[in-house]
Amino acid sequence: MRRLVTCKVRFGFCQTPRVLTNLEAWTRRRLRMYLWRQWGNGHNRYKELRRRACQSSGPR
């Protein structure tokens, strides 16, 4: 992800910012799809989503 931010900073003044925005959106979708497939079945997906939600927002 850091590389995407670096590219965005480097090419921030380009003539076609929509191309970079679309590329970043596509890359994020592919990364999410990779994780979703890696987690396997529904039980593991639920467990991983709960684990990540608790890490980002703290204890509930």
Side-chain angles (χ1 to χ4, degrees):
M1 294 313 269
R2 186 174 182 175
R3 182 171 285 180
L4 289 176
V5 173
T6 305
C7 288
K8 188 179 256 186
V9 170
R10 183 178 297 154
F11 299 112
F13 299 108
C14 72
Q15 303 246 340
T16 57
R18 185 177 294 170
V19 173
L20 295 176
T21 304
N22 291 343
L23 178 63
E24 183 178 12
W26 179 84
T27 305
R28 288 176 187 265
R29 279 194 306 273
R30 296 297 291 189
L31 288 172
R32 280 194 304 266
M33 184 182 71
Y34 172 75
L35 285 175
W36 195 246
R37 286 184 180 175
Q38 184 179 5
W39 293 344
N41 61 19
H43 176 72
N44 288 337
R45 288 176 179 171
Y46 177 77
K47 182 177 67 175
E48 289 292 332
L49 287 172
R50 292 285 296 177
R51 185 171 69 102
R52 281 162 170 55
C54 291
Q55 281 182 351
S56 63
S57 62
R60 292 182 184 206

